[in-house]
């Protein structure tokens, strides 16, 4: 299994296929497995890099909050190790903040932002998420969020999609989740930095994703932005609507 040691963290990654480099950055409580449908689709034409963020999956769990800048530094180290200096970066949820931080500091060819954030989310629900995860485990957290209507009907009614998300949640360490959340909630507001991004950027939301309200900020500040709303789906398009998502990304590339 391929790992890279970066200062104080061990990062798990996989590199599939060959061609122009696509780097996928997963959601909170995700892993490289969050991109299972994208791996298979894109690795036939591109060099696909997927990895576990610090505190997630098979990567190190460190006992302090993981700032977005820490994740961005990890990404830079991984890409330097792989000798990639102009990647196409595809981020989802927390992965979009990491992508934004990276893109405002280093060269990228293109950006794809799925279910995007531009600043830290409302902290109140996350305090409760951390309490549940650290007290009862990650599966309990997923079930809590399902029972409280925080996932789309398209996700929870799709047996395959729901169980893939549940599997990824269960493979995460509650302490890693805790520190990832604490770092996420300290994220800076990137709205004033978005104008620095002059590369072609694709912004994708499911129509049922509550974060789609952020689209206006991106439209106002990124000059080469294309917005695509995938109707009938929520936040986890990678599981809920993989064919639609793959097609939208492929057409952009």
């Amino acid at each position: 299994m391929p790992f890279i040691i970066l200062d104080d963290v061990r990062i798990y990654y996989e590199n599939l296929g060959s061609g122009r480099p696509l780097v996928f950055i997963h959601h909170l409580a995700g892993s490289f497995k969050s991109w299972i449908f994208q791996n298979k689709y894109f690795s036939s034409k591109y060099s696909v890099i997927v990895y576990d963020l610090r505190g997630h999956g098979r990567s190190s769990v460190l006992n302090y909050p993981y700032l977005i800048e820490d994740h961005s530094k990890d990404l830079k180290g991984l890409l330097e190790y792989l000798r990639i200096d102009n990647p196409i970066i595809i981020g989802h949820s927390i992965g979009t903040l990491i992508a934004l931080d990276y893109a405002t500091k280093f060269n990228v060819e293109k950006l794809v932002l799925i279910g995007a954030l531009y600043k830290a989310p409302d902290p109140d629900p996350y305090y409760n998420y951390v309490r549940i995860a650290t007290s009862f485990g990650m599966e309990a957290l997923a079930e809590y969020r399902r029972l409280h209507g925080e996932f789309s009907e398209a996700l929870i009614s799709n047996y395959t999609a729901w169980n893939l998300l549940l599997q990824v949640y269960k493979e995460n360490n509650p302490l890693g989740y805790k520190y990832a959340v604490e770092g996420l909630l300290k994220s800076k507001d990137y709205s004033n930095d978005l104008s620095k991004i002059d590369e072609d950027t694709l912004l994708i939301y499911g129509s049922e994703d509550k974060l789609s309200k952020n689209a206006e900020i991106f439209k106002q500040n990124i000059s080469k932005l294309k917005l695509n709303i995938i109707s009938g789906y929520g936040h986890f398009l990678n599981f809920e609507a993989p064919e639609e998502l793959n097609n939208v990304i492929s057409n952009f590339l």
Side-chain angles (χ1 to χ4, degrees):
M1 294 186 294
F3 290 91
I4 180 174
I5 306 297
L6 302 170
D7 296 329
D8 59 346
V9 66
R10 186 177 75 158
I11 298 293
Y12 178 82
Y13 74 95
E14 293 188 359
N15 191 355
L16 311 168
S18 61
R20 292 159 64 202
L22 304 185
V23 182
F24 288 84
I25 313 174
H26 63 73
H27 56 88
L28 186 67
S31 76
F32 77 98
K33 294 182 180 180
S34 298
W35 302 111
I36 182 171
F37 295 115
Q38 288 66 48
N39 289 351
K40 295 177 181 178
Y41 183 86
F42 287 102
S43 60
S44 63
K45 294 182 180 179
Y46 299 92
S47 174
V48 172
I49 297 96
V50 292
Y51 69 105
D52 290 345
L53 298 175
R54 57 171 59 205
H56 291 73
R58 300 175 185 180
S59 292
S60 300
V61 175
L62 305 169
N63 294 321
Y64 56 81
Y66 316 139
L67 302 178
I68 296 301
E69 292 85 352
D70 294 328
H71 292 299
S72 181
K73 182 181 177 183
D74 293 342
L75 176 57
K76 179 62 173 174
L78 174 60
L79 295 181
E80 285 182 345
Y81 174 77
L82 296 174
R83 299 183 179 180
I84 296 170
D85 60 6
N86 197 34
I88 299 168
I89 295 184
I90 302 170
H92 177 209
S93 201
I94 190 177
T96 63
L97 289 172
I98 300 165
L100 291 175
D101 189 82
Y102 186 94
T104 56
K105 297 174 179 175
F106 308 110
N107 292 332
V108 299
E109 181 181 340
K110 293 183 177 182
L111 276 180
V112 178
L113 307 173
I114 306 164
L117 297 156
Y118 65 89
K119 64 178 181 178
D122 176 9
D124 289 342
Y126 285 89
Y127 298 142
N128 197 34
Y129 297 164
V130 167
R131 181 187 63 78
I132 293 168
T134 54
S135 298
F136 304 106
M138 295 301 294
E139 183 174 5
L141 173 59
E143 290 293 349
Y144 171 87
R145 297 192 65 192
R146 179 181 67 84
L147 291 172
H148 285 77
E150 297 183 11
F151 296 127
S152 72
E153 183 62 28
L155 176 66
I156 62 176
S157 65
N158 182 324
Y159 177 86
T160 299
W162 171 248
N163 279 280
L164 285 170
L165 179 66
L166 193 59
Q167 177 187 358
V168 170
Y169 258 66
K170 289 164 63 177
E171 291 178 358
N172 272 282
N173 184 305
L175 283 179
Y177 177 79
K178 172 182 182 290
Y179 292 121
V181 166
E182 290 178 359
L184 169 64
L185 296 181
K186 293 180 179 181
S187 174
K188 64 178 281 188
D189 184 333
Y190 287 90
S191 58
N192 291 328
D193 296 318
L194 295 178
S195 61
K196 298 177 183 177
I197 299 173
D198 59 4
E199 293 82 13
D200 290 335
T201 300
L202 175 62
L203 180 64
I204 308 172
Y205 289 104
S207 62
E208 308 308 306
D209 188 347
K210 296 177 182 177
L211 292 179
S212 62
K213 64 184 180 182
N214 293 333
E216 196 60 35
I217 296 294
F218 288 97
K219 288 166 62 178
Q220 291 171 3
N221 291 283
I222 299 180
S223 59
K224 298 180 181 178
L225 183 78
K226 179 180 180 181
L227 173 63
N228 194 297
I229 304 294
I230 299 180
S231 181
Y233 297 99
H235 186 63
F236 290 93
L237 295 171
N238 52 318
F239 293 134
E240 298 175 41
E243 291 185 9
E244 293 89 338
L245 179 62
N246 292 348
N247 287 335
V248 169
I249 295 174
S250 183
N251 291 336
F252 172 72
L253 300 178

